[in-house]
Amino acid sequence: MIARKISVVLPVYNEAENIQTCLRRLAAALAGVEHEILVCYDFEADSTLPAIAAMADRPASLKLVKNDLGKGAANALRAGFKAATGDVVVTTMADLSDPPEKIPELAEHLRAGGYAVVAGSRYMRGGSQTGGPFLKRTFSRTAGLLLRWIAGLGTHDATNNFRAYSRSFLDSVGIESERGFEIALELTVKAQQMGLKVGEIPSSWTDRSAGASRFRMWAWMPNYLRWWLRAAREPLLVWGVWALMVVLATLYIRDYAPRIPFWDDLEVLRIWLPTMERNWEEMWSLHNEHRIPLPRLIQVGLLHLTNDFRSGMCFQVLLYGLVSAAMILVARRFRGRTSWTDAFFPLLWLNTGNCENLLMGFQLSLALPTVLVCVFLVLAVIRPKGLGTGSSVVASLALVFLPLCGGPGITQVPPLILGMALLGWMTLKQKIPAPRAAGWVLIGGAVLTVIVVVLYFVDFNYSPGENKTRDPLRILDVALRFLSLSAGHFGRDQYPWSIVLVLAIVAIGAWLCVQRLRSVPPDRVRAGGILMVMGATAFLALGIGHGRGGGDPSAGFAIRYIGLPAPILCAAYFAVLVYGGMFTSAIVRGGLALGMAACLIFVEDSYAQGYGRIRRDLAAAMQRDIRAGTSSIEVFNRYGKDTYPAPPGFFYLFGLMAQYGVPPFDEMTAQQREDWNISAFRTPPSYVESPDGKARVREVGEGFMALLAPPRTGVHMPLNSGSTRISGLYGVMPANYKIKKNAPVRILVMLIDGDTRAVLLDRVLDPVNVPGDRGPQKFDLTLPHPGQEIVLRTLGAMPHPRPVSWAYWAQIAVE
């Protein structure tokens, strides 16, 4: 049996000037506790020994220990450890640089907290350092703080030798140091890497006032550096990967992200530009089947600050960087150190295989709900016994925000509402040792979220053409494909083997959590929280299966979904970390990290580079054409299908950009931007056939905007099932009235239905010779039957060698 005793190990080397005072202060400080003082010396001629012998008040607890392991401070300490009989072993110096009065506090802190090592810290709050060489102080402080920040070492003061060690720890660890005082750093690093607790208390340090220091900084520096690197090598690797991934993702956006908004990024113009109303109704309105007020609000705020659509893309990198950093820190907090396998998190979240989202700011609507779900995972791991009031507020806000992020958020809400309400109830019933206020906050958050969900579905409609299904097999098929994307492009390319692997990893993690719930009730918050996150991702997968399963099952492989199922693998990672055996944990975590790295190197990057080049080159070509003055009609004909294929939206949204000088219209004159003015059509055309691309929007002499239509121009107007009439203006450009050589113009309006063409209007305008044909001509036609489209054509009235007048169309509306 090890006695409950403090063993103070005191290495000495010719300390005759200090030893008597030191022993008296040690005896006084330890008078009230069981202890022993072990003075460790190297040789019999040491001047310390006669000084001790001359003491009339020599402490009864004093023992002399001859170091027979070899010269040096490290061997003297090792000899003292070997001779110590107490359950707590404290090392201190005979020069009184460390306060003996702190020794009982060191021992008590170690015993009460179950620590392996407790350091007297000069650099934590309440600690201090007086005197000593400047260079030594600087190196010591810097080394300690870096290890604290980078490696998560449990003390700010890694190099100070004023330490308390548990006897059981010293008995279980081998000591490699043989000369210098780096033994303290060695033991602290080894304790951390063994998964044992390292703590600290504030302490002061004062440079010796008598005798010569034995500290040899330059001679011992290599040994200190060895242990510093041993503690920091895995954290440096992981944080290096994290920093590299953040930089690569940011550079990817810089190199490939267009300044011209495409697709859904154009939609934010409706609520961002000065004349647009930024009201709740617009924020709350449906985008397809999604209500996304929170992502909209953030993207508009970023645009307001930067006037750059790439700000939303960079904000995604920030979000993914924060969530991966948080998970690295959470893993370190549980394990006590950072493992190389934690590089899995930045590799998972920040890889450029997520390129379709990184190059579109609108995809905040996918990034935000994913990050919010990860909040629950982080809280579950770091709060295993229950949430406090502050963390309950964080969880409640995350839950309320989720349905404000559209379908990817609202489909994950059910298991999270259930889990939070249950945790709140258990807290109020004190089955969970947490403040009762936390229980009310959790229940309140669950109730408020239910209200938001109900409001979400008021006046809710699925967008036309959605491929919904209620077939369970099709739902499951698409859901499994979606879950396979948690492994990135590998999941899509190697399906179905990839989903077998993903489900096996998730099943291991879920089984470990279920076993923990059954066998260790006090750990139910952590295990239940991990399962709750897995359930949220599973609900999301089923929701996508329902919403997309009515079409091609490969819809579950949409690359924009890559980040959405990632939390389920993170949950499995933490499950095996916390509850798995050493072998299972190492295999699963190592496999995830290495697999994600391999996928990034061999698959993700090549796809990302190819996709990025396509987006960059398309945007560059479109920007060149716009700035060269290419007509809006021709720009749509060339690029509409790849940027915004719905003609009404294309002309309306790009017209807004032109009106307010949003890039690439920022370098154009007001006259050049008039071509993009949308007032020529009340219903924008779907396609314009224009010889030589000469059709363009201009102001005519009648005081309104019109589409100039040279001969052989065809304007295609879209029809829907409810269209019944078409109206507008047509005419000949006033400048042509006085040109006697100009031939008449033929105006045609045709209803197209498959191969059938019905002529609704056929008129010849000859304004040169017929005054009544001058000026705008109104038409208002009823459609005799439904059709696919209306075509407005301008032709020469007859074969004629003379030039033909230019016509125009204006204020065209299909109702």
Side-chain angles (χ1 to χ4, degrees):
M1 296 292 292
I2 299 176
R4 184 179 175 84
K5 179 194 300 184
I6 300 174
S7 297
V8 179
V9 175
L10 193 69
V12 297
Y13 183 86
N14 292 329
E15 291 286 359
E17 297 177 64
N18 296 309
I19 192 62
Q20 294 184 0
T21 304
C22 176
L23 292 176
R24 291 187 183 103
R25 285 186 61 184
L26 283 171
L30 299 168
V33 297
E34 186 72 19
H35 71 278
E36 61 181 357
I37 302 172
L38 306 176
V39 176
C40 306
Y41 63 97
D42 286 349
F43 54 97
E44 297 294 342
D46 191 316
S47 65
T48 309
L49 299 182
I52 293 175
M55 290 181 66
D57 55 350
R58 172 179 174 175
S61 58
L62 176 65
K63 298 180 182 178
L64 298 177
V65 177
K66 174 71 179 295
N67 170 25
D68 56 4
L69 300 176
K71 293 182 179 181
N75 284 326
L77 289 170
R78 292 170 64 197
F81 294 157
K82 185 177 180 181
T85 60
D87 64 317
V88 176
V89 179
V90 177
T91 58
T92 186
M93 298 294 103
D95 58 9
L96 292 173
S97 56
D98 302 307
E101 295 75 18
K102 281 285 185 178
I103 292 176
E105 186 180 348
L106 279 172
E108 184 57 33
H109 193 68
L110 183 140
R111 289 167 176 157
Y115 293 96
V117 181
V118 174
S121 177
R122 297 165 286 183
Y123 308 132
M124 71 179 293
R125 179 173 297 184
S128 65
Q129 183 174 14
T130 304
F134 172 79
L135 198 57
K136 174 186 171 184
R137 296 200 319 266
T138 302
F139 278 154
S140 173
R141 179 184 290 270
T142 302
L145 293 181
L146 285 176
L147 282 183
R148 174 74 174 184
W149 296 334
I150 295 173
L153 203 64
T155 175
H156 293 77
D157 195 344
T159 58
N160 191 10
N161 206 51
F162 190 38
R163 291 274 197 274
Y165 304 96
S166 72
R167 176 79 263 171
S168 58
F169 165 62
L170 291 176
D171 289 342
S172 65
V173 68
I175 299 176
E176 301 173 43
S177 299
E178 296 181 352
R179 294 186 59 194
F181 287 113
E182 73 273 9
I183 189 171
L185 179 57
E186 174 191 348
L187 291 173
T188 306
V189 169
K190 286 186 172 180
Q192 184 202 39
Q193 295 187 337
M194 292 169 65
L196 302 176
K197 295 175 65 176
V198 175
E200 63 181 350
I201 64 170
S203 180
S204 59
W205 185 93
T206 305
D207 195 20
R208 64 166 58 232
S209 58
S213 172
R214 294 178 60 200
F215 190 86
R216 303 292 181 263
M217 186 177 73
W218 298 114
W220 295 345
M221 182 65 74
N223 294 324
Y224 276 98
L225 184 60
R226 170 194 175 192
W227 292 108
W228 192 96
L229 289 174
R230 182 160 169 177
R233 61 189 178 190
E234 288 187 83
L236 286 174
L237 170 66
V238 171
W239 287 111
V241 170
W242 178 87
L244 178 64
M245 297 301 291
V246 168
V247 170
L248 290 177
T250 305
L251 292 177
Y252 182 77
I253 292 172
R254 184 202 67 179
D255 293 342
Y256 296 114
R259 294 197 69 191
I260 304 176
F262 289 167
W263 295 89
D264 292 329
D265 270 352
L266 283 164
E267 293 292 337
V268 78
L269 292 167
R270 301 178 189 271
I271 52 177
W272 171 49
L273 291 175
T275 60
M276 303 296 103
E277 294 186 6
R278 299 174 192 148
N279 55 32
W280 175 249
E281 183 179 354
E282 185 66 34
M283 290 287 185
W284 185 249
S285 64
L286 283 167
H287 177 86
N288 296 327
E289 71 271 30
H290 304 288
R291 297 194 193 276
I292 49 173
L294 184 60
R296 277 174 169 163
L297 183 63
I298 292 175
Q299 192 176 13
V300 168
L302 291 170
L303 282 169
H304 180 71
L305 292 172
T306 65
N307 291 317
D308 194 327
F309 282 86
R310 294 171 295 183
S311 58
M313 307 170 198
C314 293
F315 192 73
Q316 288 185 67
V317 175
L318 174 64
L319 286 177
Y320 289 134
L322 289 175
V323 76
S324 56
M327 291 187 173
I328 293 170
L329 294 173
V330 168
R332 186 180 78 180
R333 178 168 177 167
F334 172 79
R335 192 192 295 113
R337 62 183 181 87
T338 299
S339 168
W340 67 269
T341 63
D342 296 339
F344 164 71
F345 297 118
L347 291 171
L348 174 70
W349 292 109
L350 290 161
N351 70 80
T352 52
N354 196 21
C355 52
E356 291 189 15
N357 296 328
L358 290 177
L359 296 186
M360 185 177 291
F362 180 85
Q363 298 304 75
L364 281 170
S365 59
L366 301 185
L368 278 172
T370 306
V371 170
L372 290 172
V373 168
C374 289
V375 170
F376 293 95
L377 180 59
V378 168
L379 289 176
V381 177
I382 66 175
R383 296 283 187 268
K385 297 182 179 179
L387 301 184
T389 304
S391 52
S392 296
V393 170
V394 172
S396 295
L397 288 175
L399 186 62
V400 172
F401 287 157
L402 265 174
L404 302 179
C405 297
I410 202 167
T411 51
Q412 300 187 78
V413 158
L416 299 175
I417 289 178
L418 180 62
M420 277 192 48
L422 179 60
L423 180 59
W425 178 81
M426 294 173 68
T427 301
L428 291 176
K429 295 294 183 180
Q430 291 301 299
K431 294 184 178 181
I432 298 293
R436 290 180 61 84
W440 288 115
V441 171
L442 292 170
I443 291 177
V447 172
L448 183 56
T449 305
V450 171
I451 294 173
V452 174
V453 170
V454 171
L455 293 174
Y456 188 101
F457 289 103
V458 174
D459 297 328
F460 175 85
N461 291 294
Y462 278 101
S463 59
E466 288 299 325
N467 293 313
K468 302 185 299 297
T469 183
R470 294 184 179 180
D471 184 341
L473 292 180
R474 292 187 68 86
I475 290 174
L476 182 61
D477 185 13
V478 174
L480 291 176
R481 293 170 189 264
F482 166 77
L483 287 176
S484 72
L485 287 179
S486 61
H489 288 263
F490 170 83
R492 181 192 63 177
D493 297 342
Q494 300 301 320
Y495 191 85
W497 297 112
S498 57
I499 191 58
V500 173
L501 182 61
V502 168
L503 290 179
I505 293 172
V506 173
I508 292 171
W511 175 252
L512 290 171
C513 290
V514 170
Q515 291 293 97
R516 194 71 175 186
L517 278 174
R518 295 171 58 187
S519 60
V520 187
D523 207 25
R524 67 186 104 189
V525 174
R526 176 183 281 162
I530 294 174
L531 288 172
M532 187 173 69
V533 171
M534 290 182 175
T537 307
F539 266 69
L540 172 60
L542 294 173
I544 288 177
H546 164 67
R548 301 291 182 264
D552 187 343
S554 64
F557 286 146
I559 296 303
R560 66 182 181 277
Y561 292 155
I562 274 186
L564 286 173
I568 202 167
L569 283 186
C570 295
Y573 184 100
F574 281 114
V576 298
L577 171 64
V578 177
Y579 303 128
M582 183 179 297
F583 178 78
T584 302
S585 179
I587 291 296
V588 172
R589 293 185 294 107
L592 285 171
L594 293 175
M596 194 56 62
C599 184
L600 173 64
I601 295 170
F602 298 111
V603 181
E604 312 271 0
D605 190 61
S606 59
Y607 178 88
Q609 299 303 315
Y611 180 82
R613 283 191 291 269
I614 291 172
R615 291 295 298 271
R616 179 191 62 194
D617 295 345
L618 175 66
M622 186 176 180
Q623 180 167 297
R624 284 195 302 269
D625 283 356
I626 290 174
R627 289 181 171 172
T630 304
S631 72
S632 57
I633 301 298
E634 186 61 25
V635 169
F636 174 75
N637 290 344
R638 293 179 187 177
Y639 307 107
K641 65 183 177 65
D642 295 316
T643 59
Y644 199 99
F650 180 92
F651 288 105
Y652 172 69
L653 295 171
F654 274 90
L656 287 176
M657 291 171 64
Q659 181 181 354
Y660 291 102
V662 176
F665 300 95
D666 51 333
E667 298 180 8
M668 300 175 69
T669 66
Q671 182 62 35
Q672 289 174 311
R673 292 200 295 266
E674 286 295 347
D675 178 49
W676 292 85
N677 190 297
I678 63 170
S679 62
F681 289 89
R682 293 174 181 170
T683 301
S686 61
Y687 179 69
V688 175
E689 301 173 55
S690 174
D692 303 322
K694 292 182 179 179
R696 62 187 61 233
V697 176
R698 285 286 184 270
E699 183 177 358
V700 299
E702 314 295 341
F704 55 81
M705 303 299 295
L707 174 70
L708 273 62
R712 301 187 306 280
T713 295
V715 181
H716 297 250
M717 305 297 299
L719 296 177
N720 56 46
S721 59
S723 299
T724 60
R725 56 193 294 266
I726 181 170
S727 61
L729 303 175
Y730 63 89
V732 173
M733 291 294 293
N736 289 274
Y737 299 169
K738 298 179 180 181
I739 303 176
K740 300 295 184 179
K741 296 181 179 180
N742 277 0
V745 176
R746 184 183 181 190
I747 301 294
L748 285 174
V749 178
M750 296 180 292
L751 173 63
I752 309 297
D753 185 17
D755 295 330
T756 302
R757 299 187 178 189
V759 178
L760 306 181
L761 174 67
D762 188 347
R763 182 178 173 187
V764 174
L765 294 179
D766 186 6
V768 174
N769 301 305
V770 180
D773 288 348
R774 299 173 185 175
Q777 313 291 312
K778 293 184 180 180
F779 72 96
D780 189 345
L781 305 171
T782 300
L783 306 185
H785 54 77
Q788 294 175 332
E789 65 177 352
I790 295 285
V791 178
L792 314 175
R793 284 204 179 276
T794 58
L795 301 168
M798 62 187 73
H800 203 286
R802 292 181 299 176
V804 179
S805 298
W806 278 34
Y808 62 79
W809 299 95
Q811 300 178 20
I812 307 299
V814 176
E815 302 175 18

